[in-house]
Amino acid sequence: MSLFDLMLKNYFDEKMLEKLSKVKILIIGCGGLGSNIAVMLVRSGVKNLTIVDFDKVDVSNLNRQNYFFYQTGQEKVSALKDILEKINPYITVKALNMKIDESNIDDLIEQHDIVVEAVDNEQTKMLIFKKAHDHGKKVVLASGVAGFGDCENIKIKRGKNFSVVGDFVTSIKEKKPLAPKVMAVAAMQADEVLRMVSELE
């Protein structure tokens, strides 16, 4: 047992620790939401992650995304994998530098227990939700993360096998996303993932 595992024994019972070590989580999008969610889940004991994105780290991302200045220009998935393995070297991270679409999403979702939607594109959000539903997978989504000064408006809406976190109003087309609100939503999404993990058989 690693030192990281010994530390987690202070926070979870044996049953939850076993679930955290076995659950397979897919995070689609490694920007402001996805990069922060991944870091929080690894710090919380998740050991099997697949991270998907097709973009590179840009200096304009650093106001909200969990990357470092020296990683500018790197593929987001590679940069994030490096960060996650520095937090806990005893995890398995599959980094896929690809764009999600109808041709590849089914195989990906089938291989995982919980899906996290962390993308900007509305059509891709709907595709992820629909495919997760079709495959009977649990999914955590976001809606409304832009702006600042109104984090008290963030809510969670839950249904059968899904949760949506956000203020359900602000759009990144109208307001810029900044670290405090983006990270608040990311933290609540990560917490919803942990809740779903606890409910797994």
Side-chain angles (χ1 to χ4, degrees):
M1 181 175 287
S2 72
L3 285 174
F4 203 95
D5 291 331
L6 287 171
M7 176 273 294
L8 288 169
K9 287 173 73 72
N10 293 318
Y11 300 94
F12 299 112
D13 60 26
E14 291 294 334
K15 190 173 182 181
M16 184 63 174
L17 286 172
E18 185 177 2
K19 289 179 180 181
L20 288 168
S21 69
K22 290 182 177 179
V23 67
K24 294 180 180 179
I25 294 175
L26 170 65
I27 299 178
I28 302 175
C30 296
L33 293 173
S35 62
N36 286 297
I37 292 166
V39 165
M40 285 183 269
L41 290 178
V42 167
R43 291 192 188 281
S44 299
V46 169
K47 291 186 176 179
N48 298 286
L49 269 178
T50 299
I51 53 176
V52 182
D53 204 302
F54 60 91
D55 204 0
K56 294 182 178 180
V57 178
D58 188 270
V59 68
S60 64
N61 301 154
L62 300 180
N63 74 319
R64 66 196 183 280
Q65 299 183 8
N66 205 321
Y67 299 105
F68 296 92
F69 191 84
Y70 76 87
Q71 293 177 310
T72 301
Q74 294 181 21
E75 292 177 355
K76 284 183 178 177
V77 290
S78 298
L80 184 55
K81 180 178 180 180
D82 184 57
I83 291 168
L84 299 176
E85 290 175 341
K86 281 183 169 67
I87 295 169
N88 184 358
Y90 302 98
I91 59 174
T92 300
V93 181
K94 185 185 292 185
L96 301 178
N97 186 50
M98 59 189 280
K99 191 169 186 175
I100 290 294
D101 57 31
E102 286 274 4
S103 70
N104 54 33
I105 191 169
D106 288 288
D107 287 342
L108 262 181
I109 286 181
E110 280 180 352
Q111 298 170 37
H112 297 85
D113 304 302
I114 300 173
V115 181
V116 179
E117 176 275 307
V119 302
D120 294 333
N121 185 278
E122 293 295 331
Q123 285 154 331
T124 307
K125 283 178 181 284
M126 292 305 298
L127 177 65
I128 293 166
F129 178 71
K130 179 183 181 301
K131 292 296 186 177
H133 174 76
D134 290 348
H135 291 281
K137 302 292 184 176
K138 296 178 182 293
V139 60
V140 181
L141 309 103
S143 178
V145 302
F148 64 92
D150 59 351
C151 281
E152 72 275 11
N153 294 326
I154 299 170
K155 305 174 186 69
I156 301 174
K157 295 183 180 180
R158 297 186 180 115
K160 182 176 171 56
N161 285 337
F162 76 87
S163 299
V164 188
V165 181
D167 65 20
F168 299 89
V169 177
T170 57
S171 167
I172 60 171
K173 295 176 183 176
E174 299 163 358
K175 294 183 180 181
K176 299 295 184 185
L178 293 167
K181 191 169 182 181
V182 170
M183 293 177 74
V185 172
M188 292 172 73
Q189 283 187 276
D191 194 61
E192 282 298 289
V193 171
L194 293 179
R195 183 183 63 81
M196 289 177 173
V197 172
S198 72
E199 294 173 348
L200 294 173
E201 296 298 326

